[in-house]
Amino acid sequence: VQLVESGGGLVQVGGSLRLSCKFSPGTLSSFFIGWFRQAPGKGREGVACIDTGDASTYYPESVKDRFTYSEDDAENTVYLDMNDLKPEDTAVYYCAALPWDSYDDCRFGDAHYEHWGQGTQVTVST
């Protein structure tokens, strides 16, 4: 499976960006897609993913009500809409695929995600 992120860039505080993650081959019935980020000197953090327990979308408190995960099945693309961006959102953002039969989604870390994109840089300036 190949995943390709796009949409990163430089934005001012309070601005918005939409990240895209296009994957192939396969469909969204084969994988759960998660969004992660890694800031310089920090570990990788899950910022949006499907909760495999109840199919809701999980967001950590740091991005809740600002980030929105969405899917376009026909385009094999997953999006991350990011609003009201803050300097602490500066990071490389990755999408990753979790096999359909896995339970450990991004709430539990990234260890069970098997396929990763190359990442896209998001920089929020003051």
Side-chain angles (χ1 to χ4, degrees), residues 2-116:
Q2 286 192 320
L3 299 97
V4 180
E5 302 98 336
S6 61
L10 176 65
V11 64
Q12 291 188 329
V13 168
S16 300
L17 284 174
R18 165 175 265 202
L19 305 184
S20 300
C21 172
K22 189 168 180 66
F23 64 93
S24 63
T27 68
L28 285 169
S29 62
S30 304
F31 300 96
F32 296 108
I33 300 296
W35 284 99
F36 295 81
R37 68 184 179 186
Q38 187 164 22
K42 295 189 176 181
R44 197 149 50 189
E45 172 191 22
V47 295
C49 65
I50 299 300
D51 180 328
T52 58
D54 62 10
S56 65
T57 306
Y58 165 79
Y59 305 96
E61 286 299 320
S62 57
V63 307
K64 192 174 288 186
D65 299 326
R66 300 189 298 120
F67 288 15
T68 304
Y69 172 104
S70 61
E71 299 173 348
D72 185 334
D73 292 354
E75 296 293 327
N76 273 13
T77 300
V78 171
Y79 300 99
L80 184 68
D81 288 295
M82 306 186 296
N83 297 309
D84 189 24
L85 284 161
K86 304 176 181 182
E88 53 264 41
D89 295 319
T90 294
V92 179
Y93 284 72
Y94 301 89
C95 61
L98 180 73
W100 183 253
D101 59 355
S102 296
Y103 175 77
D104 294 327
D105 56 59
C106 75
R107 295 171 294 156
F108 305 100
D110 61 9
H112 291 85
Y113 286 78
E114 297 184 349
H115 307 285
W116 291 82

